[in-house]
């Protein structure tokens, strides 16, 4: 089957953590923002925004939150945010003071918008030879990110994205078979997951062995255990910060 | 500036609601799933899954939840879901019974994974001439969707996606200028949003007038007011269903 350029780019996706010391030309950056603009958006409301972090001081403070030093070195850093502030202001200027701008439905619609916009930018960037790294780690301390970026009420950081020209060419990371992730009509529960992922576990061990020979290699299932044991109250208690930013959790 | 095919596709994005009565060939569907598989995923955990809804009965019940009759007519319907169930099972099979699989940090990581995977599939589909429609409306009744798809604990529906060959060629929908949505370093609050979006409001009026002549046309700011006034307790109280699915909200 003939695979087009777009899909070829998508199938070749790797996270890039080392970038060349080369700025992204302004016209390319603007094209990325135009792609962002054209992204699908829930009920047309366009309730997400982007903070383009260029100040090295703010960048390095974000990298501290992320606990990923390369965060400070990414040539371009974007933070995608939930933004119900703008539409709430528009409504108020029209004399409409409704509380529904604060509900979690609006929050999730905007959160979804922000994620799909980020991925749209990722693909556009990769199609032009740029490398990307998602920084989910901004949520290590979402309150600090709100403070650094001076996010007003009804906004919230969703995900960070580093962009630049790649200075590494990492291998594709093995992924679980899709028969374990795509189900027809109803969710499929497997009897024994370790059996099902046996080959994948092995593939991951080989991948790590090749990537960093000599280092203890790890299977996927071991990584799952390690990850699930990780404990960070600030991440876990994210809803408290969301409420602080003005959203009404509406818990019964 | 030279614009590549990928970006050309992205800039031409429109929601498609009418599809030809033509199935998506199996090899194309499988390629879309391969693109889904290669999508970036938070800490490599692959904590989202897809329910491919093919049963006309389930499809039409989902369309009822969506209150969008075309939902039942989309040739292919995918529901992207948060899936921490699989990794929790893997951990348990390894003798690790941690409660952190249930926290909202894992929920949001998986939610983000699901959204960016959906958008990756959208672009791959559009690059092959398919049309797409996001169905955020599955969250009109997330509890019902969990029931219809038999979603186990630690899973949750994120977004629906309809796919097929387009049977319409709608105009591009005007979007707000990005200067109102992209800010440098810190969030920019504007003094008067209605002033800032004056031209955009006008552009939207013209767009609707051309789309459906004779129908009362609407500006963006009017739509914001209408949307914000919409009230659906089942959508607003989404966190209660997330908790019912086994997640620990960790509200202080």
């Amino acid at each position: 089957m003939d695979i087009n350029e777009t899909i070829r780019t998508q199938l070749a996706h790797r996270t890039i953590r080392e970038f060349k010391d080369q700025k992204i030309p302004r016209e390319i950056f603007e094209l990325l923002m135009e792609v962002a603009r054209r992204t699908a958006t829930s009920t047309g409301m366009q309730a997400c925004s982007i903070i383009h972090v260029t100040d090295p001081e703010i960048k390095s403070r974000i990298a501290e939150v992320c606990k990923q030093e390369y965060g400070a070195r990414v040539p371009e850093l974007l933070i995608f945010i939930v933004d119900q502030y703008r539409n709430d202001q528009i409504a108020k200027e029209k004399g409409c003071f409704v509380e529904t701008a604060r509900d979690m439905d609006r929050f999730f619609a905007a959160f979804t918008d922000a994620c799909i916009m980020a991925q749209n930018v990722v693909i556009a960037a990769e199609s032009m030879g740029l490398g990307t790294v998602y920084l989910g780690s901004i949520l290590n301390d979402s309150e600090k990110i709100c403070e650094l970026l001076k996010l007003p009420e009804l906004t919230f950081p969703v995900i960070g994205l580093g962009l630049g020209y790649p200075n590494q060419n990492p291998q594709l990371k093995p992924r679980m078979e899709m028969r374990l992730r795509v189900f027809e009509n109803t969710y499929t529960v497997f009897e024994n997951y370790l059996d099902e992922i046996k080959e994948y576990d092995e593939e991951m061990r080989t991948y790590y062995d090749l990537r960093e020979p000599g280092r203890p290699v790890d299977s996927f299932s071991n990584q799952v255990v390690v990850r699930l044991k990780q404990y960070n109250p600030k991440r876990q208690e994210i809803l408290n910060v969301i409420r602080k930013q003005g959203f009404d959790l509406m818990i019964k």
Side-chain angles (χ1 to χ4, degrees), chain A:
Chain A
M1 194 181 149
D2 203 31
I3 290 179
N4 67 41
E5 264 312 304
T6 301
I7 290 175
R8 218 185 300 276
T9 299
Q10 292 178 298
L11 295 179
H13 169 76
R14 283 95 27 95
T15 293
I16 298 298
R17 291 182 180 83
E18 296 299 334
F19 297 94
K20 287 183 183 149
D21 188 17
Q22 181 186 346
K23 277 197 70 83
I24 297 177
R26 194 181 170 82
E27 56 177 8
I28 288 190
F29 187 81
E30 279 170 6
L31 188 54
L32 293 177
M33 293 305 99
E34 189 55 24
V35 166
R37 187 182 183 216
R38 297 301 328 159
T39 310
T41 163
S42 175
T43 65
M45 289 295 103
Q46 301 163 72
C48 72
S49 295
I50 298 174
I51 312 287
H52 179 202
V53 183
T54 56
D55 181 335
E57 171 64 20
I58 301 182
K59 237 179 182 175
S60 90
R61 298 202 53 197
I62 292 173
E64 276 168 34
V65 168
C66 294
K67 296 191 182 93
Q68 284 160 322
E69 50 78 35
Y70 56 81
R73 285 186 284 111
V74 295
E76 301 291 351
L77 176 60
L78 304 177
I79 312 287
F80 292 81
I81 64 170
V82 160
D83 190 354
Q84 291 290 359
Y85 175 81
R86 181 172 45 245
N87 287 352
D88 187 48
Q89 291 303 114
I90 288 172
K92 281 177 178 157
E93 289 178 16
K94 295 198 78 114
C96 168
F97 293 79
V98 287
E99 280 305 300
T100 49
R102 306 186 168 276
D103 70 40
M104 286 308 284
D105 177 22
R106 317 291 161 169
F107 178 86
F108 278 110
F111 193 97
T112 303
D113 271 18
C115 294
I116 69 173
M117 183 186 269
Q119 181 61 13
N120 222 19
V121 171
V122 161
I123 297 168
E126 290 180 347
S127 80
M128 294 189 289
L130 293 165
T132 63
V133 53
Y134 273 121
L135 299 166
S137 49
I138 58 165
L139 296 182
N140 287 346
D141 189 347
S142 49
E143 202 170 359
K144 173 64 79 185
I145 299 291
C146 291
E147 187 192 306
L148 288 170
L149 306 179
K150 299 203 197 331
L151 298 189
E153 60 160 8
L154 305 185
T155 64
F156 191 77
V158 171
I159 197 157
L161 180 65
L163 297 153
Y165 290 97
N167 202 19
Q168 60 176 180
N169 187 16
Q171 253 197 293
L172 281 194
K173 196 168 180 177
R175 292 281 168 77
M176 200 182 289
E177 288 172 76
M178 285 310 269
R179 66 176 182 86
L180 298 169
R181 300 182 72 191
V182 183
F183 313 122
E184 199 163 338
N185 292 316
T186 52
Y187 193 92
T188 305
V189 169
F190 292 89
E191 266 197 34
N192 188 308
Y193 284 88
L194 289 179
D195 273 359
E196 301 290 343
I197 64 169
K198 202 169 228 163
E199 275 178 41
Y200 177 54
D201 260 354
E202 202 44 58
E203 212 187 335
M204 283 295 274
R205 272 192 211 98
T206 313
Y207 164 79
Y208 282 112
D209 195 30
L210 288 168
R211 195 168 87 163
E212 293 168 83
R215 238 193 70 169
V217 294
D218 219 347
S219 64
F220 177 73
S221 56
N222 278 341
Q223 288 188 323
V224 167
V225 170
V226 169
R227 283 288 175 188
L228 282 187
K229 280 185 179 164
Q230 276 166 1
Y231 176 85
N232 177 345
K234 277 193 177 157
R235 284 194 76 106
Q236 296 182 301
E237 294 164 10
I238 182 171
L239 285 176
N240 295 302
V241 185
I242 292 169
R243 182 164 53 187
K244 256 191 172 163
Q245 286 296 103
F247 288 96
D248 182 348
L249 305 183
M250 295 213 173
I251 308 290
K252 269 185 200 161

